[in-house]
Coordinates of all heavy atoms in Angstrom, one line a residue:
T154 N 155.4 12.7 -125.8 CA 155.0 13.9 -126.5 C 155.4 15.2 -125.8 O 156.0 16.1 -126.4 CB 153.5 13.9 -126.8 OG1 153.1 12.8 -127.5 CG2 153.1 15.2 -127.5
R155 N 155.2 15.3 -124.5 CA 155.4 16.5 -123.8 C 156.8 16.7 -123.3 O 157.2 17.9 -123.1 CB 154.5 16.5 -122.5 CG 153.0 16.4 -122.8 CD 152.5 17.6 -123.6 NE 152.5 18.8 -122.9 CZ 151.5 19.5 -122.4 NH1 150.3 19.0 -122.5 NH2 151.6 20.7 -121.7
I156 N 157.6 15.6 -123.2 CA 159.0 15.8 -122.7 C 160.0 15.3 -123.7 O 160.8 16.1 -124.2 CB 159.2 14.9 -121.4 CG1 158.1 15.3 -120.3 CG2 160.6 15.1 -120.9 CD1 158.2 16.8 -119.9
V157 N 160.0 14.0 -124.1 CA 161.1 13.5 -124.9 C 161.2 14.1 -126.2 O 162.3 14.4 -126.7 CB 160.9 11.9 -125.0 CG1 162.0 11.4 -126.0 CG2 160.9 11.3 -123.7
K158 N 160.1 14.4 -126.9 CA 160.2 15.0 -128.3 C 160.4 16.5 -128.3 O 160.4 17.1 -129.4 CB 158.9 14.6 -129.0 CG 158.9 13.1 -129.4 CD 157.7 12.7 -130.2 CE 157.8 11.2 -130.6 NZ 156.6 10.8 -131.3
Q159 N 160.5 17.1 -127.1 CA 160.7 18.6 -127.1 C 162.2 18.8 -127.2 O 163.0 18.3 -126.5 CB 160.2 19.1 -125.7 CG 158.7 19.0 -125.5 CD 157.9 19.8 -126.5 OE1 158.3 20.9 -126.9 NE2 156.7 19.3 -126.9
E160 N 162.5 19.7 -128.1 CA 163.9 20.0 -128.4 C 164.7 20.5 -127.2 O 165.8 20.1 -127.0 CB 164.0 21.1 -129.5 CG 165.4 21.5 -129.9 CD 166.2 20.4 -130.6 OE1 165.5 19.5 -131.1 OE2 167.4 20.5 -130.6
R161 N 164.0 21.3 -126.3 CA 164.8 21.8 -125.1 C 165.1 20.7 -124.1 O 165.9 21.0 -123.2 CB 163.9 22.9 -124.5 CG 162.6 22.5 -124.0 CD 161.8 23.8 -123.6 NE 160.5 23.5 -123.0 CZ 159.4 23.3 -123.7 NH1 159.5 23.3 -125.0 NH2 158.2 23.1 -123.1
F162 N 164.5 19.5 -124.2 CA 164.8 18.5 -123.3 C 165.5 17.3 -124.0 O 165.5 16.2 -123.5 CB 163.5 17.9 -122.7 CG 162.6 19.0 -122.0 CD1 161.2 19.0 -122.2 CD2 163.2 19.9 -121.2 CE1 160.4 20.0 -121.6 CE2 162.4 20.9 -120.6 CZ 161.0 20.9 -120.8
K163 N 166.1 17.6 -125.1 CA 166.6 16.5 -125.9 C 167.7 15.6 -125.2 O 167.9 14.5 -125.5 CB 167.2 17.0 -127.2 CG 168.4 18.0 -127.0 CD 168.8 18.5 -128.4 CE 170.0 19.5 -128.2 NZ 170.5 20.0 -129.5
D164 N 168.5 16.2 -124.3 CA 169.5 15.4 -123.6 C 168.9 14.4 -122.7 O 169.6 13.4 -122.3 CB 170.5 16.3 -122.8 CG 169.8 17.0 -121.6 OD1 168.7 17.4 -121.7 OD2 170.5 17.0 -120.5
I165 N 167.6 14.5 -122.3 CA 167.0 13.5 -121.4 C 167.0 12.2 -122.2 O 167.4 11.1 -121.6 CB 165.6 13.9 -120.9 CG1 165.8 15.1 -120.0 CG2 164.9 12.8 -120.3 CD1 164.4 15.6 -119.5
E166 N 166.5 12.2 -123.4 CA 166.4 10.9 -124.2 C 167.8 10.4 -124.4 O 168.0 9.2 -124.5 CB 165.7 11.2 -125.5 CG 165.5 9.8 -126.2 CD 164.8 10.1 -127.6 OE1 164.9 11.1 -128.2 OE2 164.1 9.1 -128.0
G167 N 168.8 11.3 -124.6 CA 170.1 10.9 -124.9 C 170.8 10.1 -123.8 O 171.7 9.3 -124.0
E168 N 170.3 10.2 -122.6 CA 170.8 9.5 -121.4 C 170.2 8.2 -121.2 O 170.6 7.4 -120.3 CB 170.7 10.4 -120.2 CG 171.6 11.6 -120.3 CD 171.6 12.4 -119.0 OE1 171.3 11.8 -117.9 OE2 172.0 13.6 -119.0
I169 N 169.1 7.9 -122.0 CA 168.5 6.5 -121.9 C 169.3 5.6 -122.8 O 169.5 5.9 -123.9 CB 167.0 6.6 -122.3 CG1 166.3 7.6 -121.4 CG2 166.4 5.2 -122.2 CD1 164.8 7.8 -121.7
K170 N 169.6 4.4 -122.2 CA 170.4 3.5 -123.0 C 169.7 2.9 -124.2 O 168.5 2.8 -124.2 CB 170.9 2.3 -122.1 CG 171.8 2.7 -120.9 CD 172.1 1.5 -120.1 CE 173.1 1.9 -118.9 NZ 173.4 0.8 -118.1
T171 N 170.5 2.6 -125.2 CA 169.9 2.2 -126.5 C 169.0 0.9 -126.4 O 167.9 0.8 -126.9 CB 171.0 1.9 -127.5 OG1 171.8 3.1 -127.7 CG2 170.5 1.5 -128.9
D172 N 169.5 0.0 -125.6 CA 168.8 -1.3 -125.4 C 167.4 -1.0 -124.7 O 166.4 -1.7 -125.0 CB 169.6 -2.3 -124.7 CG 170.0 -1.9 -123.3 OD1 170.2 -0.7 -123.1 OD2 170.2 -2.8 -122.4

Side-chain angles (χ1 to χ4, degrees):
T154 302
R155 301 296 294 251
I156 306 297
V157 175
K158 289 182 177 177
Q159 297 293 328
E160 180 66 21
R161 61 188 182 278
F162 306 134
K163 62 182 180 180
D164 70 315
I165 291 180
E166 185 183 28
E168 295 187 20
I169 300 176
K170 295 179 180 179
T171 303
D172 59 330

